[in-house]
Amino acid sequence: MNAPQLTRISTLLQNQEEAILSEWIRAQLGPGVFRSAVPPQSELHEQSKTLLRALRDALRQASSTDITSPEWESVRENLADVSRSQAREGSSPTETATAVLSLKQPLFGRLIDDCKDHPEEISREIRGASELLDKLGLYTMEVHQKGREQLIVRQQEEMQELSTPVVELWRGILALPLIGTLDSQRTQVVMENLLEKIAQTGAPIAIIDITGVPTVDTLVAQHLLKTISAARLMGADCIISGIRPQIAQTIVHLGVALGDVITKATLADAFAIALKRAGLSVTDNRTA
Amino acid sequence: MEKIPIMKISNSLLVTIQVDMNDSLAQELQDDLSDRIVQTRATGVLIEISALDIIDSFIGRMLGNITAISRLLGADTVVVGMRPAVAITLVELGLPLSGIRTALNVERGLAMIQPSMDAKEGDGRGPV
């Protein structure tokens, strides 16, 4: 069934496909559409052609102009492809949307011609077509935005995985070098990694090194304490190392209570304590 | 009706929680354990919870209470074998069980209560 108000466009697309296509491509290549990177003409031709076909088929089959309905699936996919490929070429989302919207030029001229005998229908037809094309233009924007968001989420995940290694310094001594600010989400990952490693290695001591943590405010301290409490529940003691002078001052000024947690200035000092607890000692073999 | 077994090993009691804890089971364990400690004059208690993978605030609090009661009755108490997920949950619930002794597994837990056992038994070795 045809979308009731868009029968004319559907027919136009069917009968004058070639003419509309070439005019649309000319409009896209014209001034004011692609400023940064103009895609190669052959590619543009191919893209526009498939998109126009999909649009034509959708208009013929679809019962409404709701582009989220399943009948519009192929149009949505085409638009998404166009949006993604043009984003890769370096086009801004505005440019992509404008390219889609420039289909209005060839279409509206023809619609007016087509409605010559029924002037009362012109405004209705134009409004319908305009609304539809606006939706399609906005959809390309949305795809662009979603692509960006996915990229950010993926990078965030990668960063989180990279930034929380748990290393075994010695049998039964774990170290957790923290780099970057601790937010609650990262604390969760850090905690899980540390506890898994404790369960796996059976280590009774873990050193949390905060040399790479830029600032320690009350929230970060709270997150550290949480991690330490959780490790203690599994029978492992924690030592905090890598406290820089400024950080020590901040901790005291903020009145952060680290409780009875052992703290050391350097990882080396913390490691020495851990070795001592484990009943091990390091000797210097050079001196006789 | 399920029941949590309490085993006596020389001078200490070993409680292994092998089933999903529910509120009444925890309450019952509290009663049972305190009776047994007095009855057997145990000096050490190990609570093994490695099979426990879900914990809520009530069970968490009960665990704390049970440990505190055992200590009041003069038994050195260690909670052993807590799973990472349970540890995280307890901390997130604001129940870090501070003041409770913990160990990774039964072996280490036994080593922790050994000194008190030796002292009580008076086998000549004395506390380490």
Side-chain angles (χ1 to χ4, degrees):
Chain A
M1 210 190 105
N2 266 323
Q5 71 274 40
L6 293 171
T7 41
R8 278 176 199 276
I9 303 183
S10 176
T11 332
L12 271 177
L13 284 176
Q14 214 155 344
N15 299 337
Q16 305 189 33
E17 190 188 341
E18 277 306 313
I20 292 177
L21 177 61
S22 58
E23 206 175 313
W24 183 27
I25 290 174
R26 229 176 307 131
Q28 290 186 58
L29 290 173
V33 181
F34 291 110
R35 278 178 306 260
S36 37
V38 182
Q41 196 158 359
S42 58
E43 195 182 301
L44 193 64
H45 187 272
E46 199 54 44
Q47 275 178 359
S48 307
K49 198 167 147 190
T50 39
L51 187 54
L52 214 55
R53 285 255 165 84
L55 183 62
R56 186 194 65 196
D57 293 343
L59 276 171
R60 211 178 331 157
Q61 290 157 8
S63 51
S64 73
T65 56
D66 174 16
I67 66 160
T68 53
S69 63
E71 288 113 331
W72 289 85
E73 169 120 34
S74 73
V75 175
R76 286 200 308 265
E77 268 170 25
N78 264 305
L79 278 175
D81 282 347
V82 170
S83 176
R84 271 193 286 268
S85 74
Q86 287 187 351
R88 263 200 303 279
E89 302 280 337
S91 309
S92 71
T94 315
E95 288 171 316
T96 312
T98 318
V100 173
L101 293 178
S102 64
L103 179 58
K104 282 183 182 178
Q105 288 177 31
L107 215 50
F108 286 8
R110 280 180 175 72
L111 267 180
I112 292 172
D113 280 350
D114 198 44
C115 290
K116 251 194 216 120
D117 304 332
H118 312 277
E120 73 283 358
E121 286 183 15
I122 291 183
S123 70
R124 201 191 60 190
E125 285 288 331
I126 298 248
R127 199 173 57 226
S130 181
E131 272 173 11
L132 175 64
L133 286 177
D134 287 347
K135 279 185 205 163
L136 299 183
L138 280 176
Y139 184 72
T140 61
M141 279 282 210
E142 203 181 301
V143 171
H144 190 274
Q145 190 81 18
K146 268 192 194 139
R148 283 295 157 93
E149 276 164 16
Q150 276 168 0
L151 185 74
I152 292 173
V153 168
R154 206 172 55 233
Q155 282 177 342
Q156 237 169 12
E157 280 169 6
E158 274 170 19
M159 221 160 70
Q160 239 158 31
E161 278 166 22
L162 283 178
S163 61
T164 51
V166 182
V167 290
E168 199 171 6
L169 286 181
W170 198 265
R171 210 177 306 127
I173 302 174
L174 297 179
L176 183 69
L178 290 178
I179 314 271
T181 316
L182 271 184
D183 55 18
S184 39
Q185 211 183 355
R186 251 194 92 190
T187 312
Q188 192 75 22
V189 179
V190 168
M191 220 192 270
E192 276 167 25
N193 285 356
L194 178 64
L195 298 196
E196 282 302 331
K197 198 81 174 180
I198 289 173
Q200 196 188 329
T201 60
I205 300 176
I207 301 169
I208 301 178
D209 186 75
I210 58 166
T211 312
V213 179
T215 49
V216 176
D217 54 17
T218 42
L219 204 64
V220 172
Q222 201 196 334
H223 286 144
L224 277 177
L225 287 175
K226 261 190 191 174
T227 310
I228 294 169
S229 303
R232 209 187 51 81
L233 282 175
M234 289 195 53
D237 278 329
C238 286
I239 303 171
I240 298 181
S241 75
I243 299 180
R244 281 172 281 130
Q246 307 96 295
I247 288 193
Q249 287 177 28
T250 328
I251 289 176
V252 172
H253 287 154
L254 284 175
V256 176
L258 282 178
D260 49 3
V261 181
I262 305 170
T263 53
K264 284 284 161 195
T266 62
L267 182 60
D269 290 343
F271 187 44
I273 292 190
L275 282 174
K276 205 169 160 190
R277 284 251 189 116
L280 299 162
S281 63
V282 180
T283 50
D284 192 341
N285 283 337
R286 285 171 307 176
T287 48
Chain B
M1 177 83 187
E2 287 171 318
K3 207 169 155 82
I4 292 169
I6 301 172
M7 287 162 276
K8 184 169 181 294
I9 302 172
S10 71
N11 249 1
S12 20
L13 295 177
L14 177 61
V15 181
T16 52
I17 297 173
Q18 300 285 1
V19 291
D20 279 337
M21 275 293 248
N22 57 46
D23 296 2
S24 61
L25 213 53
Q27 197 77 47
E28 208 181 327
L29 176 64
Q30 183 182 312
D31 297 342
D32 277 358
L33 186 61
S34 32
D35 286 347
R36 283 292 291 277
I37 292 172
V38 175
Q39 222 173 65
T40 59
R41 288 160 60 200
T43 54
V45 174
L46 278 186
I47 303 176
E48 206 269 344
I49 57 167
S50 66
L52 195 68
D53 48 17
I54 296 171
I55 200 160
D56 60 16
S57 57
F58 183 77
I59 303 292
R61 206 156 49 84
M62 283 305 280
L63 210 56
N65 287 354
I66 291 172
T67 319
I69 291 168
S70 318
R71 232 186 357 213
L72 266 181
L73 293 171
D76 228 0
T77 310
V78 183
V79 175
V80 301
M82 192 180 294
R83 289 196 185 193
V86 172
I88 292 175
T89 311
L90 280 179
V91 171
E92 295 296 343
L93 287 173
L95 290 166
L97 303 184
S98 27
I100 290 178
R101 298 172 71 192
T102 48
L104 189 73
N105 49 36
V106 177
E107 195 184 349
R108 294 224 180 120
L110 269 179
M112 280 168 85
I113 57 173
Q114 204 76 50
S116 61
M117 284 165 69
D118 292 344
K120 280 275 168 65
E121 277 175 77
D123 60 358
R125 281 188 292 165
V128 181

